[in-house]
Amino acid sequence: MRRAAEAFRALAARPALHGAAFVLLSTAILFAHLGESHLANFDDCYYAQKAKEMVRGGHWLTPHFNGVPRFDNAPLFLWLMALSFSVFGVTDWAAILFSALSGVACVWFVRRVALRLGADAFTAWTTAFVLLTTQYFLKYARHAMFDVFLTLLFLVAIDRYLAWRARGRLRDWAWIGLMAGCGVLTKSVLGLFPLGVIVLHLLLTRGPRALREPGPWLALGVCVLTFLPWYVTQAISAPDRFFAEHVRWLLWERAFVLAPEKKSLVSYFGYVVELARTYWPWLPVALAGMWLSARDALRGPGLRRD
């Protein structure tokens, strides 16, 4: 017992080891029995089929499904899945691999972001533990879907933004733009979400003059340069189908036409209901934390750096 206590104190005194310990723990949890059963739902199979046709049919630039070009999904995560198929073979495990790896990285980056926000080692450890024990996170990190990878891109962008606020390096803005551009190449306009959050925070903490600084414009430029080549090539190669599937159906009809027809007013709060059902035992703690954060924010401009 004495040796165990000494080892625990030594670990607590070395915060760098906390991240490594959580990488090992999250890897053990997320990769346990990975791919032993069949892919879980239609989306998993749909994306895996597209990636398989990239490998076997050579259609890497334009995703195909059942031999037909499909423009409803941006290709980045499909490329990663196809790369996994090329290395490990076309298996369920290979289809889920990059989603599970993204889950491990998310746990690590959540802890890193907490430290950048000024949390102590225990609080940062707790944030990683909460994420790793959240049901929906565990579920989708073991699916062949885009969601957890997109979450990782968001966390990396936020981490780079906090690093910029601490050190003022312009290259951090380039990383932010790269993550946003990769997000667009993963899930279309949803990939711009971290860039929008960061710009909003800049405006709230520094005012409109922050937009005269080079950083946000560098991020925007890198973001556009990252996703624009694929969008331009697809728009040129098949303009009618690309516009019909990716712009009109994915961005407009699916979001603003079909969804409202199928939903009542109450159903728009479906995600809140799901959180209330599944986000246990952390829901009371999260609500308390939101209340404390709102209270502190209303007390004064604690976020301003200058």
Side-chain angles (χ1 to χ4, degrees):
M1 290 293 295
R2 183 177 179 181
R3 289 184 178 179
E6 290 176 353
F8 182 79
R9 283 195 294 269
L11 177 62
R14 300 177 65 182
L17 293 179
H18 299 175
F22 258 105
V23 167
L24 293 175
L25 178 61
S26 56
T27 300
I29 292 175
L30 293 176
F31 278 82
H33 304 289
L34 189 71
E36 289 187 0
S37 60
H38 295 297
L39 294 179
N41 59 31
F42 172 81
D43 287 347
D44 292 55
C45 298
Y46 181 63
Y47 302 143
Q49 177 65 26
K50 284 186 172 183
K52 182 173 75 172
E53 294 191 29
M54 285 182 175
V55 175
R56 294 184 175 176
H59 304 298
W60 287 81
L61 189 59
T62 302
H64 283 59
F65 182 79
N66 198 24
V68 179
R70 295 300 303 268
F71 301 94
D72 50 342
N73 297 123
L76 179 55
F77 192 78
L78 299 176
W79 288 339
L80 294 176
M81 196 184 299
L83 176 63
S84 181
F85 286 162
S86 299
V87 176
F88 301 106
V90 180
T91 65
D92 294 341
W93 183 89
I96 305 170
L97 173 62
F98 273 98
S99 187
L101 287 174
S102 298
V104 173
C106 281
V107 173
W108 191 82
F109 269 100
V110 161
R111 174 186 170 275
R112 182 183 174 101
V113 167
L115 291 173
R116 289 199 186 279
L117 289 171
D120 57 28
F122 176 77
T123 304
W125 182 92
T126 303
T127 61
F129 181 77
V130 169
L131 179 63
L132 189 56
T133 53
T134 296
Q135 295 180 48
Y136 262 30
F137 173 75
L138 290 173
K139 174 182 177 180
Y140 287 105
R142 295 170 60 87
H143 277 245
M145 296 174 65
F146 301 175
D147 304 82
V148 176
F149 179 68
L150 186 67
T151 302
L152 174 61
L153 296 176
F154 174 84
L155 287 171
V156 175
I158 297 301
D159 174 74
R160 291 297 86 204
Y161 174 63
L162 295 173
W164 170 79
R165 289 185 68 87
R167 295 191 288 262
R169 299 182 306 188
L170 193 60
R171 68 184 184 188
D172 289 321
W173 282 104
W175 276 103
I176 293 169
L178 178 62
M179 294 302 103
C182 288
V184 175
L185 281 176
T186 301
K187 215 162 184 181
S188 194
V189 294
L190 292 180
L192 297 174
F193 186 64
L195 196 57
V197 169
I198 288 168
V199 170
L200 179 61
H201 186 266
L202 267 182
L203 292 173
L204 290 174
T205 56
R206 292 177 170 235
R209 63 188 177 90
L211 296 183
R212 296 197 294 267
E213 298 177 5
W217 297 103
L218 174 62
L220 181 61
V222 172
C223 173
V224 172
L225 289 175
T226 300
F227 72 77
L228 191 63
W230 182 80
Y231 277 83
V232 169
T233 57
Q234 301 309 293
I236 292 175
S237 63
D240 294 337
R241 289 201 61 183
F242 179 75
F243 179 81
E245 293 184 21
H246 195 87
V247 179
R248 188 173 63 202
W249 182 81
L250 180 67
L251 301 182
W252 175 252
E253 292 182 359
R254 186 178 179 187
F256 300 104
V257 179
L258 298 178
E261 289 179 355
K262 298 178 181 179
K263 293 184 176 181
S264 64
L265 181 62
V266 176
S267 66
Y268 280 102
F269 297 94
Y271 285 113
V272 177
V273 174
E274 287 299 320
L275 285 174
R277 289 175 177 171
T278 63
Y279 194 41
W280 294 92
W282 307 120
L283 182 59
V285 179
L287 294 175
M290 291 171 63
W291 179 81
L292 291 172
S293 297
R295 184 195 64 181
D296 293 342
L298 292 173
R299 283 180 174 177
L303 293 175
R304 290 189 181 272
R305 192 176 72 172
D306 54 357

